Amino acid sequence: VICTNATYHGNTAAVAQLSSIFEPAEGYGPHIRTVRWPDQYRTPDMTDVQTLTDIYLDDIRQAIQSLKEAGIPFAGMILCPIYANEGLPNIPEGYLEQATKIVRDAGGLIIADEVQAGFGRTGKMWGHQSTGFVPDIATMGKPMGNGHPLAGLVARDELVDRFREKDMYFNTFGGNPVSCAVGNAVLDVLENENLISNAASTGEYVLSGLRKLAKKHSIIGDVRGKGLFFGVDLVKDHISKEPAVEETRKLINDMKEHGILISSIGEFNNVLKIRPPLPFNKENAELLLEGINHCLSRL
Ligand SMILES: Cc1ncc(COP(=O)(O)O)c(C=O)c1O
């Protein structure tokens, strides 16, 4: 299985193997290959987007080749469609379509981990819709139950049928009525309160506010985001783009004192992770932007 070099997909035995930001205690098995996530901000010596895209696509080709040379059959590639844990990069145009093709041509499946990106977060129902590719399997959790433990998996019939032919699968809590009612309620609220279009419109508003803050505070190197999910990349300076890790940690704590909970993400842990609830409105957005401005001024 291929995953990126700065990701997290969970902590059961199989997915901990795919979590490159926290090394599993038992180490990595020989069946895992990591590839660089498609970064357009801190890029390896690139000349243009096409060259950059080719560099990252080549990583995938090499990973597949390396599995082949080791005699390990290729299963596929898992990715968060918006690369949330990697730091919400702006994904080079065409990268995901071509990556998907390379994986499928080699007989692999594309798994979209919608645990962070799904259920309207990006201003579309699914993260993969917002970054323009169609997965073979989608896994979902977290927002699916809005706090209640609920998770799911969607795949085409033939894949699920093959699994069922090989494995006898059941579990005690699968499909229990309480969790199903919660899941239905989440879908109702998303629909009835127009939360997906709210994520898109309020998200744009916050993004433009963050961009204004970037003009004022030089520590902000880059502002990225989709819907109601934002990444603010903090740097020591704009030329070296050296991650301002310590300042990020301080800012998050100052924000907490100020009554606003945010976190950090990214390969270097220097990207402010801002992921407000989906009913977030412009008034809430003003509060957030004022809070960030205030805490940045005190850094
Ligand atoms: C992208 C992604 N996938 C999977 C998970 C794991 O979800 P869970 O803790 O419900 O297993 C997380 C957790 O934060 C995540 O960020």
Side-chain angles (χ1 to χ4, degrees), residues 8-10 85 113 115-116 142:
Y8 177 77
H9 293 289
N85 291 315
D113 175 345
V115 166
Q116 291 210 56
K142 236 186 268 291

Side-chain angles (χ1 to χ4, degrees), residues 22 25 81 100 107 117 145 176 228 238 284:
F22 304 116
T100 307
N176 79 78
L228 279 171
H238 285 232
N284 306 140

Side-chain angles (χ1 to χ4, degrees), residues 14-290:
V15 287
Q17 288 285 312
L18 305 166
S19 295
S20 40
I21 47 177
F22 304 116
E23 187 172 348
E26 62 276 18
Y28 294 107
H31 62 295
I32 302 301
R33 295 292 180 279
T34 57
V35 295
R36 285 171 292 179
W37 51 281
D39 183 4
Q40 285 202 77
Y41 181 56
R42 279 180 198 82
T43 52
D45 41 5
M46 60 162 276
T47 47
D48 54 54
V49 176
Q50 188 52 52
T51 311
L52 183 69
T53 307
D54 289 343
I55 290 172
Y56 289 127
L57 290 172
D58 236 29
D59 272 17
I60 300 174
R61 289 190 194 96
Q62 281 177 29
I64 295 170
Q65 182 60 24
S66 152
L67 285 167
K68 200 170 172 186
E69 280 163 14
I72 299 171
F74 177 44
M77 178 164 159
I78 184 166
L79 49 97
C80 164
I82 55 170
Y83 295 87
N85 291 315
E86 290 85 340
L88 286 177
N90 292 322
I91 302 159
E93 188 78 28
Y95 168 79
L96 279 167
E97 290 92 323
Q98 292 177 72
T100 307
K101 183 167 181 338
I102 292 169
V103 167
R104 289 197 179 120
D105 286 352
L109 298 173
I110 289 281
I111 305 172
D113 175 345
E114 291 280 354
V115 166
Q116 291 210 56
F119 292 89
R121 170 62 50 192
T122 63
K124 303 242 191 237
M125 183 65 183
W126 303 113
H128 64 265
Q129 292 171 312
S130 72
T131 42
F133 72 102
V134 180
D136 299 294
I137 299 176
T139 60
M140 48 197 77
K142 236 186 268 291
M144 188 177 184
N146 196 28
H148 179 87
L150 179 60
L153 178 145
V154 177
R156 290 191 306 278
D157 283 359
E158 79 258 22
L159 294 177
V160 182
D161 287 347
R162 255 173 69 194
F163 172 65
R164 288 306 298 260
E165 278 159 22
K166 292 190 170 193
D167 278 276
M168 198 290 293
Y169 178 81
F170 83 98
N171 74 63
T172 306
F173 301 114
N176 79 78
V178 173
S179 298
C180 292
V182 170
N184 269 328
V186 167
L187 293 177
D188 286 346
V189 171
L190 279 180
E191 204 171 296
N192 298 340
E193 298 181 18
N194 297 319
L195 293 188
I196 301 182
S197 60
N198 181 63
S201 56
T202 313
E204 278 303 319
Y205 185 78
V206 175
L207 210 51
S208 79
L210 290 171
R211 289 193 178 121
K212 279 187 202 136
L213 288 181
K215 292 206 174 90
K216 185 168 163 200
H217 300 278
S218 63
I219 192 167
I220 299 182
D222 199 21
V223 170
R224 304 183 286 267
K226 266 199 173 24
L228 279 171
F229 204 156
F230 314 97
V232 180
D233 202 313
L234 300 187
V235 293
K236 299 259 189 210
D237 71 77
H238 285 232
I239 309 281
S240 73
K241 297 175 181 170
E242 185 188 337
V245 181
E246 192 47 40
E247 292 83 346
T248 305
R249 198 186 56 77
K250 184 173 181 314
L251 190 82
I252 291 168
N253 282 323
D254 283 356
M255 290 285 286
K256 184 173 70 183
E257 296 303 319
H258 201 69
I260 299 174
L261 296 177
I262 60 171
S263 184
S264 62
I265 40 173
E267 183 172 354
F268 313 106
N269 222 11
N270 69 311
V271 180
L272 299 179
K273 175 188 195 179
I274 307 170
R275 194 177 51 174
L278 294 196
F280 211 61
N281 59 27
K282 286 191 176 162
E283 206 179 305
N284 306 140
E286 285 302 335
L287 208 68
L288 170 71
L289 293 164
E290 271 167 37

